Amino acid sequence: MSNLADAVLETHMNLPGQTAFYRGKVRDVYTVGEKLVMVASDRISAFDYVLPRPIPYKGQVLNQVATHFLQATADIVPNWLEAVPDPNVAVGAACEPFKVEMVIRGYLAGHAWREYKSGKRELCGVPMPDGLKESDRFPEPIITPATKAEEGHDEDISREEIIAQGIVSEADYIQLEQYTRALFQRGTEMAAKQGLLLVDTKYEFGKRDGKIYLIDEIHTPDSSRYYYAEGYEERQQQGERQKQLSKEFVREWLMAHGFQGKEGQIMPIMPDAFIEEVSARYIELYERITGLTFERTDTTGIEDRIERNVLAYLKKA
């Protein structure tokens, strides 16, 4: 285990030719000319809040899982990724993002289940069949888009509203749906080889020179939910909760300590032992999802290392 101090909470690079900077919940994004330099920090978020302590290796896990799946789906849709100059960094083409997230669900879980349990039988204009239990498989995967919020919560929106409001043109939206279904199918097949079920996930797309690109991360534990395939049917029949491979365990720890992001609640500080457990779980996630062995990089002076590697890449590019 690395020293808990050797984790990236924030980066503060001033890159040659830099024209913009954006700090998301997890990533620090630098715009350099026509390129984006995306640093996956070790920040962790839950309930739309960034927790105060970083998780060693989490950024490396996210960056390398996303890279793995971007490379494995490049035959389906072109993506923004061009290079990985550092274990925590991805560099690629800056695109104009569509202001919707394409959420696709193969199973009744998470937000969809909470809506269903409250009595709703439609989500984002898509009907959901009667008589389902939590974690049941949908007859067909459903696409339930969300508007991409600058701050706070993303909002559910229907296909019809997206097109009517001109958020995305009808022609582009039809293409986004086709890409979303094809990516989810590929992700489902890759998960099955690892003994996993891809439950739900989200994709983000952008445009550059009139062409649609897949952007951001895909099939990571931060953007996706996985169940273990072994024992899935038995657990469903017996009404037991499914075994998840996601960051749900962090949300559960927070809830057990009285925090769900609601007004007036005080965020608990994760102790060292739990930070180490979260780090180990993320590494386990990486190995289980990709089937690859995780190689821990030396995290001593990690911010200096990131800056050094990015500068060396930009100099060559």
Side-chain angles (χ1 to χ4, degrees), residues 84-260:
V84 183
D86 180 273
N88 285 65
V89 180
V91 179
C95 301
E96 181 63 37
F98 288 105
K99 291 186 163 46
V100 291
E101 291 183 343
M102 298 299 285
V103 181
I104 183 165
R105 305 173 184 278
Y107 297 76
L108 182 59
H111 173 60
W113 166 244
R114 288 189 288 275
E115 294 288 287
Y116 194 91
K117 192 168 59 167
S118 77
K120 293 182 184 168
R121 291 295 176 270
E122 192 177 275
L123 185 62
C124 303
V126 182
M128 297 185 287
D130 274 322
L132 297 181
K133 307 190 301 292
E134 182 177 13
S135 301
D136 274 352
R137 186 184 281 109
F138 285 119
E140 288 285 324
I142 63 172
I143 293 176
T144 58
T147 54
K148 187 129 179 58
E150 293 295 326
E151 286 180 19
H153 294 275
D154 298 336
E155 300 285 338
D156 289 344
I157 189 168
S158 72
R159 176 190 206 273
E160 291 71 25
E161 288 170 316
I162 289 168
I163 294 166
Q165 291 175 28
I167 299 170
V168 180
S169 74
E170 185 168 11
D172 281 348
Y173 193 81
I174 288 167
Q175 183 66 77
L176 296 187
E177 284 188 324
Q178 289 171 352
Y179 282 150
T180 296
R181 291 193 186 282
L183 289 165
F184 190 71
Q185 179 62 30
R186 178 70 54 82
T188 297
E189 291 162 4
M190 292 180 75
K193 288 177 182 164
Q194 298 302 123
L196 298 170
L197 304 172
L198 179 55
V199 176
D200 51 35
T201 191
K202 69 181 175 78
Y203 304 114
E204 296 185 41
F205 297 91
K207 235 180 183 182
R208 182 185 176 91
D209 300 329
K211 188 174 175 183
I212 294 174
Y213 287 81
L214 177 62
I215 61 173
D216 202 41
E217 62 179 23
I218 70 162
H219 299 162
T220 73
D222 274 19
S223 66
S224 316
R225 195 188 317 260
Y226 292 89
Y227 290 157
Y228 288 89
E230 189 179 348
Y232 165 80
E233 297 292 353
E234 293 83 348
R235 283 189 288 274
Q236 281 306 94
Q237 285 164 12
Q238 290 162 20
E240 295 173 8
R241 293 190 71 185
Q242 287 298 333
K243 280 179 67 182
Q244 285 200 30
L245 199 64
S246 71
K247 64 174 181 180
E248 190 65 27
F249 69 99
V250 175
R251 294 188 199 100
E252 287 171 357
W253 184 88
L254 290 167
M255 287 191 284
H257 289 79
F259 185 78
Q260 288 185 65

